[in-house]
Amino acid sequence: GNSVTQMEGPVTLSEEAFLTINCTYTATGYPSLFWYVQYPGEGLQLLLKATKADDKGSNKGFEATYRKETTSFHLEKGSVQVSDSAVYFCAIQTGANNLFFGTGTRLTVIP
Amino acid sequence: DVKVTQSSRYLVKRTGEKVFLECVQDMDHENMFWYRQDPGLGLRLIYFSYDVKMKEKGDIPEGYSVSREKKERFSLILESASTNQTSMYLCATSRTASSYNSPLHFGNGTRLTVT
């Protein structure tokens, strides 16, 4: 079956610290991979995506690389800011209407 | 930019009431979705629609129904609200029915409390 496992939170970091949020998946076929972010009081919005093996998605200083051999899509940022405080969701898509989300990781960045 | 508008940010309803959650999008997307979001469970798909008057059950359709009479509007209906339906409800859209890498565009959510 298809599923996503991501690092449980909450994660608390100081400003300018390095961030990694782990995400692994199981899927039939070759899924597209996504990270969505949910800021307080808002819906989810796409942060970055990768559609094939070894692709690197990047946006707003965040990066994630599609690792087929380890079925992973870990989210990283070199220097987090207070404004990055949010809930981050890893997701895989195996078909037009087959999208599977992880349970979300809450990040809090303190000044 | 795609705009997905959910009619209410907060709703409080009584057990047994019929509840309508409305979602409108302005970008002519074919696909529309309703999710509920609960702590520790992530997002769970309730129903989706890939065309007007078409609907498909998601993972947790029990206690819900949907209506899509126009392409831009997708309504979620709780026929008889119960306390276990207290949750955050998120509407989402995506561009085409044939693409597997079209990202979702979400509304800001409706937090429903059933007392």
Side-chain angles (χ1 to χ4, degrees):
Chain A
N2 300 302
S3 67
V4 177
T5 302
Q6 66 179 100
M7 192 167 109
E8 281 196 30
V11 174
T12 303
L13 294 174
S14 297
E15 207 165 21
E16 299 183 4
F18 184 85
L19 169 71
T20 300
I21 301 177
N22 290 337
C23 172
T24 57
Y25 65 90
T26 57
T28 52
Y30 300 96
S32 293
L33 308 180
F34 303 85
W35 277 100
Y36 286 85
V37 58
Q38 184 179 31
Y39 297 106
E42 299 182 12
L44 281 71
Q45 57 185 271
L46 179 68
L47 180 59
L48 52 85
K49 72 175 187 180
T51 58
K52 62 182 188 296
D54 300 324
D55 264 4
K56 179 186 281 188
S58 61
N59 186 25
K60 299 183 180 180
F62 291 89
E63 292 183 339
T65 301
Y66 191 142
R67 300 285 187 203
K68 186 168 178 292
E69 63 278 11
T70 55
T71 62
S72 64
F73 193 53
H74 305 320
L75 182 69
E76 296 183 336
K77 186 175 185 181
S79 176
V80 293
Q81 306 300 312
V82 172
S83 57
D84 294 326
S85 298
V87 182
Y88 293 82
F89 292 89
C90 184
I92 66 171
Q93 188 165 6
T94 60
N97 297 317
N98 293 329
L99 186 64
F100 302 88
F101 285 89
T103 54
T105 303
R106 181 176 298 278
L107 170 67
T108 301
V109 181
I110 54 177
Chain B
D1 248 6
V2 178
K3 192 165 176 63
V4 181
T5 303
Q6 294 184 230
S7 53
S8 305
R9 291 300 301 271
Y10 300 94
L11 273 180
V12 179
K13 297 291 181 182
R14 293 183 184 272
T15 301
E17 277 193 80
K18 190 168 186 175
V19 181
F20 293 85
L21 303 183
E22 306 286 347
C23 176
V24 177
Q25 52 113 346
D26 67 354
M27 283 298 291
D28 205 36
H29 283 188
E30 286 86 354
N31 296 337
M32 296 189 76
F33 306 80
W34 276 107
Y35 288 89
R36 62 177 283 176
Q37 181 181 9
D38 300 289
L41 297 177
L43 274 71
R44 292 180 291 168
L45 181 63
I46 304 171
Y47 268 97
F48 66 92
S49 168
Y50 52 89
D51 202 352
V52 175
K53 296 193 186 297
M54 305 302 289
K55 61 185 179 184
E56 295 284 344
K57 292 180 180 179
D59 300 318
I60 51 165
E62 297 78 18
Y64 303 94
S65 62
V66 290
S67 171
R68 193 166 180 202
E69 296 296 318
K70 294 184 178 181
K71 190 173 186 179
E72 67 270 20
R73 186 181 295 271
F74 192 37
S75 303
L76 179 69
I77 303 153
L78 286 65
E79 297 290 343
S80 177
S82 63
T83 55
N84 64 10
Q85 293 178 308
T86 291
S87 187
M88 170 71 87
Y89 290 88
L90 294 170
C91 175
T93 73
S94 68
R95 188 158 47 90
T96 73
S98 61
S99 171
Y100 71 94
N101 61 8
S102 291
L104 297 184
H105 300 265
F106 285 85
N108 282 341
T110 296
R111 185 166 293 283
L112 172 68
T113 302
V114 183
T115 62

